[in-house]
């Protein structure tokens, strides 16, 4: 055979192989790509595609069920690894950080699902990113709120540009999962918490679509304020995201910004503020767990294809960054856990519960659009209208910074009476470790007396929340009965326990209304009896008499109410005090008190089951 024929045969072979590869890649077009991003696939079609990936690359992709929705649908998770490391124990032994990427917690905002299918394909099948999982394990939830995903309609998100039909913001019990992390009411969240405890991810990415103003960015992103984070977590997060991933992302042709919560949505020139993320949100909960987290918000008015590709690129770049430097992330999370445990042995260690805006705003260059503001006769307010054909930059105030507001001195441990099963159930749900007293123990503890409760006027996420109350702390001698749960704070999940059990924490079980009964008096006084009692009390107690007369002078509503006047005396009587109305059931123990109890405890507490 001549050299010409040899070269021609070789060239035809290359062409044939290239054509076969192209055909193979065509076979792996995702449902969204096949529909030119006009639609997003059903849950069944999503799982079918993932099952094909698992069959094609069983050494890279493994599917598992981690829960069941209220309507009976399986909650699926994908475990992806470059070398078949498919369980958390193996990942830790191999020194591989675990990255949890979740999509569809708000299933109308579903870019993360379609971006994830594309990215898994390009890792496991097409070979576009063959090594991005060499040194990490990816745990990927394609749809968190599955029932909400299947409750699809073209009319669920009025502010959003596609896909044609979108899932519903709430799950089937009308709960918003991204307000449920601490109170953990939804079955989906309880399943997620078990998954979290099993894998204990080193980094969380939560994918959303924003509402709000119009601007040039195709994606905004959010991380928790440094004051809410362990210093090591904050340092890693800033370096990995701000210094590396975002610049690389923009080099791919995207435009990104920090999260944009405008002070006044009708006039972006008034600046941006922090949207107030707390423990009920994904990134806020990750912060309590000593983990960095990234919230991705694609822009609602960009095309669905634009939004999917934006998520694809940023997630891939974050994986790339972690894969290149796995030890840096593992060292960070280990240091943060150690810091939390060590804090329990530091006297008078302060823990912030609430945060306030930093009064020192910085400047931010907003890449927006020209707009007009006009008065509306319909709303009798201002109406802003953007002109996307005219990009325009604005120098505005950035008020994103936060400062600690209310802080408490952390106890060494909490004590929870055994009868408060609702509290103990929440400790179990979050994997918080505790022990139980095996016999009664006399000790001293700090308790809270609560008063003047005010509840919200309407329900929020299925609860009538306690908005305001007074609080008085005191130390007293008492006997803790057998079965009392002791929650030491020398554990890595201590911050979660504090947020659950400190009454003033914004997402405490008290605020969510789980302990409303403590404000209810169960016994009462008949008017004819209290009439006599009041006269006796006035005759014996001049201070009480002066207080009663002051109320009559200062409070017309009190003066006009016979019931309120008699209740005043009943509430100042030993008959009312004996009911312990407003006594907060959770007690605080210092180090000496905890040491006293250490020989009286039997280890208990649930552990997360295997997948």
């Amino acid at each position: 055979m001549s050299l010409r024929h040899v070269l021609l045969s070789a060239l035809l072979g290359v062409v044939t192989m290239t054509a076969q590869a192209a055909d193979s890649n065509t076979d792996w077009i995702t449902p969204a790509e096949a529909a030119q991003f006009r639609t997003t696939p059903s849950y069944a079609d999503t799982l079918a595609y993932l099952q094909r990936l698992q069959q094609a690359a069983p050494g890279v992709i493994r599917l598992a069920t981690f829960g069941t929705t209220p309507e009976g649908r399986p909650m699926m998770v994908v475990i992806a690894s470059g070398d078949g490391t498919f369980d958390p124990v193996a990942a830790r032994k191999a020194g591989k950080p675990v990255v949890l990427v979740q999509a569809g917690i708000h299933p109308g905002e579903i870019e993360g699902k379609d971006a994830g299918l594309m990215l898994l394909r390009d890792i496991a099948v097409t070979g576009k990113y063959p090594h991005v999982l060499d040194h990490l394990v990816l745990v990927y939830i394609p749809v968190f709120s599955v029932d909400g995903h299947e409750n699809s309609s073209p009319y669920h998100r009025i502010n959003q540009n596609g896909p044609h039909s979108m899932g519903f913001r709430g799950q089937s019990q009308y709960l918003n999962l991204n307000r449920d992390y601490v109170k953990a009411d939804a079955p989906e969240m309880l399943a997620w918490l078990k998954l979290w405890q099993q894998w204990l991810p080193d980094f969380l990415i939560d994918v959303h679509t924003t509402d709000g103003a119009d601007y040039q960015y195709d994606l905004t992103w959010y991380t928790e304020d440094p004051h809410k984070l362990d210093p090591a977590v904050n340092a890693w997060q800033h370096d990995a995201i701000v210094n590396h991933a975002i610049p690389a992302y923009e080099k791919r042709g995207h435009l990104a910004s920090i999260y944009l919560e405008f002070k006044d949505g009708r006039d972006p020139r008034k600046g941006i503020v922090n949207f107030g993320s707390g423990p009920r949100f994904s990134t806020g909960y990750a912060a309590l767990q000593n983990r960095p987290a990234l919230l991705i918000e694609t822009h609602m008015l960009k095309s669905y294809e634009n939004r999917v590709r934006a998520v694809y690129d940023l997630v891939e770049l974050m994986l790339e960054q972690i894969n290149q430097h796995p030890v840096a992330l593992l060292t960070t999370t280990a240091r943060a856990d150690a810091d939390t445990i060590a804090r329990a042995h530091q006297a008078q260690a302060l823990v912030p519960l609430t945060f306030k805006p930093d009064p020192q705003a910085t400047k931010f260059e907003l890449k927006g659009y020209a707009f007009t503001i006009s008065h509306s006769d319909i709303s009798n307010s201002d109406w802003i209208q953007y002109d996307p054909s005219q990009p325009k930059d604005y120098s505005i105030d950035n008020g994103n910074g936060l400062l600690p507001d209310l802080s408490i001195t952390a106890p060494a441990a909490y004590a929870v009476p055994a009868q408060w099963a609702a509290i103990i159930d929440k400790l179990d749900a979050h994997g918080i470790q505790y022990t139980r007293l095996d016999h009664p123990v006399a000790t001293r503890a700090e308790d809270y007396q609560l008063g003047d409760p005010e509840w919200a006027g309407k329900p929020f996420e299925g609860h009538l929340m306690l908005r305001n109350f007074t609080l008085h702390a005191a130390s007293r001698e008492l006997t803790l009965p057998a079965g009392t749960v002791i929650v030491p704070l020398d554990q890595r999940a201590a911050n979660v326990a504090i947020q659950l059990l400190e009454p003033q924490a914004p997402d405490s079980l008290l605020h969510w209304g789980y302990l409303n009964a403590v404000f209810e008096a169960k016994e009462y006084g008949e008017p004819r009896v209290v009439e006599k009692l009041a006269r006796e009390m006035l005759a014996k107690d001049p201070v009480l008499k002066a207080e009663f007369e002051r109320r009559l002078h200062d409070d017309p509503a009190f003066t006009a109410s016979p019931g309120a006047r008699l209740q005043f005396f009943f509430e100042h009587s030993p008959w009312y005090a004996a009911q312990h109305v407003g006594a907060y059931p959770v007690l605080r123990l210092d180090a000496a008190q905890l040491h006293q109890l250490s020989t009286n405890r039997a280890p208990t507490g649930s552990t997360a089951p295997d997948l």
Side-chain angles (χ1 to χ4, degrees), residues 59-74:
V60 180
I61 303 289
R62 178 172 294 178
L63 273 63
T65 303
F66 71 99
T68 303
T69 72
E71 292 185 338
R73 295 183 176 91

Side-chain angles (χ1 to χ4, degrees), residues 391-424:
K392 185 174 181 179
D393 293 352
Y394 302 87
S395 181
I396 62 175
D397 285 340
N398 176 6
N400 257 309
L402 297 175
L403 296 174
D405 191 9
L406 173 65
S407 296
I408 55 102
T409 301
Y414 293 101
V416 183
Q419 67 268 26
W420 288 93
I423 298 176
I424 298 167

Side-chain angles (χ1 to χ4, degrees), residues 66 75 144 177 180 183-197 425-426 428-430:
F66 71 99
M75 298 177 67
F144 189 169
L177 294 179
D180 198 41
K183 66 181 177 68
D185 283 338
E188 295 96 328
M189 186 56 69
L190 292 171
W192 185 94
L193 288 171
K194 290 179 181 178
L195 182 75
W196 175 277
Q197 291 153 34
D425 287 346
K426 295 302 179 185
D428 288 336
H430 290 279

Side-chain angles (χ1 to χ4, degrees), residues 43-97:
Y43 192 55
D45 289 344
T46 300
L47 296 186
Y49 188 88
L50 289 170
Q51 287 161 354
R52 286 185 61 214
L53 283 176
Q54 179 179 240
Q55 292 168 0
V60 180
I61 303 289
R62 178 172 294 178
L63 273 63
T65 303
F66 71 99
T68 303
T69 72
E71 292 185 338
R73 295 183 176 91
M75 298 177 67
M76 301 299 294
V77 62
V78 181
I79 315 301
S81 166
D83 63 358
T85 303
F86 291 134
D87 71 83
V89 174
R92 296 302 172 194
K93 285 183 178 178
K96 293 188 174 189

Side-chain angles (χ1 to χ4, degrees), residues 49-287:
Y49 188 88
L50 289 170
Q51 287 161 354
R52 286 185 61 214
L53 283 176
Q54 179 179 240
Q55 292 168 0
V60 180
I61 303 289
R62 178 172 294 178
L63 273 63
T65 303
F66 71 99
T68 303
T69 72
E71 292 185 338
R73 295 183 176 91
M75 298 177 67
M76 301 299 294
V77 62
V78 181
I79 315 301
S81 166
D83 63 358
T85 303
F86 291 134
D87 71 83
V89 174
R92 296 302 172 194
K93 285 183 178 178
K96 293 188 174 189
V98 175
V99 179
L100 172 59
V101 177
Q102 62 186 37
I105 190 171
H106 293 156
E109 310 166 23
I110 203 60
E111 292 89 330
K113 176 191 72 176
D114 289 314
L117 298 187
M118 293 163 58
L119 184 55
L120 287 173
R121 170 199 65 197
D122 290 342
I123 293 170
V125 177
T126 68
K128 185 175 182 180
Y129 301 109
H131 301 295
V132 77
L133 299 184
D134 284 357
H135 305 296
L136 65 88
V137 176
L138 172 63
V139 178
Y140 167 62
I141 302 174
V143 182
F144 189 169
S145 181
V146 181
D147 290 347
H149 181 277
E150 295 304 273
N151 178 12
S152 187
S153 168
Y155 301 106
H156 277 161
R157 285 182 58 79
I158 189 174
N159 305 314
Q160 189 170 296
N161 176 20
H164 171 69
S165 187
M166 309 168 210
F168 185 63
R169 187 174 182 85
Q171 46 82 279
S172 57
Q173 297 163 321
Y174 290 87
L175 296 174
N176 181 342
L177 294 179
N178 203 28
R179 305 295 184 271
D180 198 41
Y181 280 89
V182 170
K183 66 181 177 68
D185 283 338
E188 295 96 328
M189 186 56 69
L190 292 171
W192 185 94
L193 288 171
K194 290 179 181 178
L195 182 75
W196 175 277
Q197 291 153 34
Q198 182 191 19
W199 281 95
L200 194 57
D202 296 284
F203 183 52
L204 169 67
I205 301 177
D206 189 16
V207 183
H208 292 249
T209 314
T210 192
D211 291 310
D214 199 2
Y215 39 72
Q216 298 176 42
Y217 310 103
D218 54 17
L219 179 147
T220 61
W221 56 273
Y222 179 86
T223 56
E224 293 296 323
D225 185 88
H227 293 94
K228 296 185 177 184
L229 299 168
D230 182 272
V233 170
N234 180 63
W236 180 90
Q237 196 166 258
H238 183 85
D239 182 64
I241 299 172
V242 179
N243 294 344
H244 290 92
I246 295 300
Y249 175 77
E250 294 191 331
K251 285 182 180 178
R252 292 191 179 182
H254 298 286
L255 198 58
S257 166
I258 57 172
Y259 189 83
L260 298 172
E261 179 77 10
F262 289 96
K263 190 173 184 179
D264 183 347
R266 294 167 297 185
D267 189 349
R269 294 169 299 188
K270 294 182 180 179
I272 57 176
V273 294
N274 194 291
F275 83 94
S277 171
R280 69 187 61 168
F281 296 89
S282 61
T283 56
Y285 186 77

Side-chain angles (χ1 to χ4, degrees), residues 452-458 464-469 510-512 516:
D452 302 322
E454 296 179 15
W455 283 271
K458 61 181 180 179
L464 198 63
M465 294 192 72
L466 180 64
R467 294 192 307 182
N468 296 306
F469 53 89
L510 180 75
H511 266 302
W512 278 108
N516 283 347

